[in-house]
């Protein structure tokens, strides 16, 4: 027994046209075969499309409301025809789902995406659904978009440049892709390789390949947005007297000025030396003071530390 079209879309029989359309779009996103890998997703998707095709057309909806599942047999009788009207047997070819008007070219994300992982706001669903319907009816159709991850070290993400990635293909083989990584990409950002997705059908254009950037944890740096943090080891004398400490940053060698009287945990900012930002202000680089003491003391060092201990009035445990 055919399922009730209103139940399929989850709307009441009094639903307005826009309510039916919203319900259809929501369900189509959920059960589209390119997104939902459940075994029955394709059948469910066709069922949703048939329900929408019927209820979105005022004429067919009126016949469906009057005659139920047999509404196609009364195609020549009009919505108000009685049972004595002409019955058309099978009612002619069964109409397929209507994708609705196809919009212009897909805007899609920019060359480097916007950090939205997964099939989300970057996907033009009208285009995607329309492409699927065209595939069902034959003729040229655009290939499906594909997703993969691109793992980078923090230094590689900072510098950008050429990267090569090898991905398995549907036929079991693998293929290498050359990727232009812009300087300053952040975790979750997407890079689009136009035309590198699944091949089109019957001469249709290929889909796109979207690479989601993943930045590997670094043993030295901590990344928060575009700001980079790292520990700066200093000696007790450098912390107490102040010093200029050479160190290495993602951009190369830098010198950090440590003010006198610095304690562990003090954070020193190097403005604009964090992750680059091609579209705005770069992040900052933060050096966090970490005072280190010698693991062992020489004879003269010990004497000096003992002398310092006798003359110093500093008590680090006093509240300040």
């Amino acid at each position: 027994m055919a399922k009730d079209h209103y139940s399929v879309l989850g709307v009441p029989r009094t639903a307005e046209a826009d309510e039916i359309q919203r319900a259809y779009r929501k369900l189509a996103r959920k059960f589209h075969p390119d997104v939902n890998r459940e075994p029955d997703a394709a059948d469910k998707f066709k069922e949703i499309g048939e329900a929408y095709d019927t209820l979105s057309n005022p004429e067919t909806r009126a016949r469906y409301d009057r005659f139920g599942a047999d509404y196609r047999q009364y195609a020549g009788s009009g919505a108000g025809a009685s049972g004595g009207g002409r019955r058309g047997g099978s009612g002619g070819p069964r109409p397929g789902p209507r994708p609705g008007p196809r919009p212009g070219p897909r805007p899609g994300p920019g060359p480097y995406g916007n950090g939205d992982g997964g099939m989300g706001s970057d996907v033009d669903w009208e285009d995607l659904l329309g492409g699927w319907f065209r595939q069902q009816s034959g003729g040229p159709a655009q290939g499906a978009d594909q997703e993969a991850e691109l793992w980078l070290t923090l230094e590689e993400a900072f510098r950008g440049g050429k990267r090569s990635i090898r991905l398995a293909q549907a036929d079991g083989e693998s293929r290498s892709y050359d990727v232009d990584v812009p300087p300053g990409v952040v975790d979750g950002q997407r890079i689009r390789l136009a035309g590198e997705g699944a091949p089109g059908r019957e001469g249709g254009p290929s889909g796109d390949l979207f690479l989601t950037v993943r930045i590997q944890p670094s043993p030295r740096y901590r990344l928060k947005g575009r700001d980079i943090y790292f520990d700066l080891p200093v000696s007790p004398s450098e912390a107490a007297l102040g010093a200029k400490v050479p160190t290495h940053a993602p951009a190369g060698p830098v010198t950090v000025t440590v003010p006198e009287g610095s304690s562990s945990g003090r954070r020193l900012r190097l403005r604009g030396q964090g992750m680059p930002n091609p579209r705005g202000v770069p992040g900052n680089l933060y050096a966090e003071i970490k005072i280190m003491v010698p693991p062992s003391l020489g004879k003269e060092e010990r004497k000096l530390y003992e002398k310092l201990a006798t003359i110093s009035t500093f008590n680090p445990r006093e509240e300040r």
Side-chain angles (χ1 to χ4, degrees), residues 246-270:
T247 188
H248 193 79
V254 295
T255 298
V256 180
T257 300
V258 177
E260 66 176 61
S262 295
S263 297
S264 283
R266 183 170 185 175
R267 189 175 292 169
L268 307 175
R269 181 176 66 182
L270 285 75

Side-chain angles (χ1 to χ4, degrees), residues 135-308:
Q135 289 182 23
Q136 306 312 301
S137 60
Q142 180 171 333
D145 291 341
Q146 296 179 329
E147 302 270 347
E149 291 185 332
L150 176 63
W151 284 89
L152 303 172
T153 65
L154 185 142
E155 290 84 356
E156 289 171 334
F158 185 96
R159 294 190 301 267
K162 293 282 188 181
R163 286 280 292 163
S164 180
I165 183 173
R166 197 165 191 84
L167 301 175
Q169 305 298 301
D171 58 6
E173 300 295 326
S174 61
R175 178 185 166 189
S176 181
Y177 299 85
D178 292 326
V179 185
D180 286 318
V181 178
V185 291
V186 293
D187 193 84
Q189 186 170 327
R190 301 209 305 169
I191 299 174
R192 182 178 69 178
L193 303 185
E196 297 292 352
R201 174 192 175 104
E202 297 186 14
S206 297
D208 297 334
L209 173 61
F210 290 91
L211 300 177
T212 301
V213 172
R214 297 298 179 205
I215 298 180
Q216 302 170 12
S218 170
R220 175 171 171 78
Y221 301 109
R222 301 179 296 279
L223 184 61
K224 296 180 182 179
R226 293 190 178 275
D227 293 334
I228 301 174
Y229 298 77
F230 71 100
D231 292 334
L232 180 66
V234 299
S235 67
S237 60
E238 289 173 329
L241 303 175
K244 291 187 178 297
V245 180
T247 188
H248 193 79
V254 295
T255 298
V256 180
T257 300
V258 177
E260 66 176 61
S262 295
S263 297
S264 283
R266 183 170 185 175
R267 189 175 292 169
L268 307 175
R269 181 176 66 182
L270 285 75
R271 188 186 298 273
Q273 296 195 41
M275 291 292 281
N277 186 354
R279 300 178 182 178
V281 179
N284 297 316
L285 181 65
Y286 291 93
E288 295 187 351
I289 300 295
K290 187 175 182 180
I291 299 175
M292 308 293 290
V293 299
S296 61
L297 297 173
K299 186 176 180 179
E300 292 299 320
E301 285 179 312
R302 179 171 294 278
K303 287 181 179 180
L304 291 173
Y305 271 105
E306 289 173 346
K307 183 177 180 179
L308 177 62

